Amino acid sequence: MEKLIDGYRRFRDSGLATHRNRMQALACEGQHPQAMIIACSDSRADPAMVFDTAPGQLFVIRNVANLVPPYDPDGEMHGTSAALEFGVRVLEVPHLIVMGHQMCGGIRALVHGFPDQVQDFVKPWMSMAQPAVDAARAAGTPEDQIDGVCEHEAVKLSLRNLRTFPWIAEREADGRLQLHGLRFGIADGVLERMGPDGTFHPV
């Protein structure tokens, strides 16, 4: 914890001065982010770092394996869906991005088996990504490449699930909202973008 406090002191003494005017404007005028990103909770795949953004530019949802559940307003607890509703319907972001990443632990556990310590919540959560594994295996993916293919397929799955939200589908159809799929390479720093044909290419 002390390292975090030391970091805050450095921010207060230097970084805050750099962003002071922006932070005051954000406090007075509210936030108007240019994009919303669904990213993984993995500490190595920080969207603000990847896109070199300032405070107020990104509205970020982070969860295990950057997954989006299908639209299901059943009155239960839906953290990801709640954030989507706020970002799309209140903040009216023009871009909605799903960013997967290399070496995703959630995907690896789904493909190779879940440790005993993550049976309560991680395993049920990741079960929604089983179609990504099925698609990778159906394509005849070699076993040593299946994790990477599943990371791409999980991004596609989340994009499909986003389109089950009526207010996302409506905004995409009339041009108010654009959906994008990305995958970040932790080892090499390469960002891949999904094209219209569903294939990923380096930016």
Side-chain angles (χ1 to χ4, degrees):
M1 188 64 193
E2 287 308 309
K3 288 184 178 180
L4 295 178
I5 297 300
D6 289 343
Y8 161 71
R9 291 186 176 120
R10 290 192 300 272
F11 165 72
R12 182 190 61 196
D13 295 339
S14 58
L16 185 58
T18 302
H19 294 295
R20 186 173 300 280
N21 290 340
R22 174 180 287 274
M23 297 302 290
Q24 289 175 344
L26 289 168
C28 293
E29 301 166 12
Q31 59 174 323
H32 304 282
Q34 62 192 36
M36 182 175 188
I37 298 183
I38 300 103
C40 185
S41 300
D42 194 299
S43 61
R44 302 167 293 178
D46 178 9
M49 177 191 72
V50 172
F51 298 105
D52 190 25
T53 54
Q57 292 183 322
L58 295 179
F59 188 76
V60 181
I61 305 172
R62 299 186 74 172
N63 62 41
V64 175
N66 44 267
L67 296 180
V68 175
Y71 179 73
D72 186 20
D74 58 7
E76 298 298 325
M77 298 178 187
H78 297 283
T80 295
S81 300
L84 281 168
E85 185 173 51
F86 186 78
V88 172
R89 304 185 84 179
V90 178
L91 298 178
E92 298 184 330
V93 293
H95 296 278
L96 184 49
I97 301 161
V98 178
M99 188 181 84
H101 70 93
Q102 181 187 40
M103 296 184 289
C104 179
I107 295 295
R108 179 168 181 78
L110 181 64
V111 174
H112 302 287
F114 292 90
D116 291 341
Q117 308 96 306
V118 296
Q119 300 289 317
D120 291 353
F121 298 104
V122 174
K123 184 176 181 179
W125 171 258
M126 287 304 305
S127 68
M128 79 173 90
Q130 185 60 45
V133 180
D134 297 341
R137 294 200 186 282
T141 306
E143 197 61 29
D144 63 345
Q145 298 174 25
I146 197 163
D147 288 14
V149 172
C150 285
E151 288 159 6
H152 289 109
E153 291 295 331
V155 171
K156 296 179 190 179
L157 175 67
S158 285
L159 288 169
R160 289 196 298 273
N161 285 346
L162 282 171
R163 293 182 171 107
T164 67
F165 289 73
W167 26 267
I168 289 177
E170 176 186 331
R171 284 166 172 78
E172 184 183 29
D174 65 22
R176 285 179 289 166
L177 180 64
Q178 295 181 40
L179 272 57
H180 311 272
L182 304 172
R183 176 178 174 265
F184 175 66
I186 290 174
D188 56 16
V190 172
L191 184 69
E192 298 173 325
R193 184 174 186 177
M194 191 180 87
D197 63 352
T199 60
F200 286 76
H201 301 282
V203 171

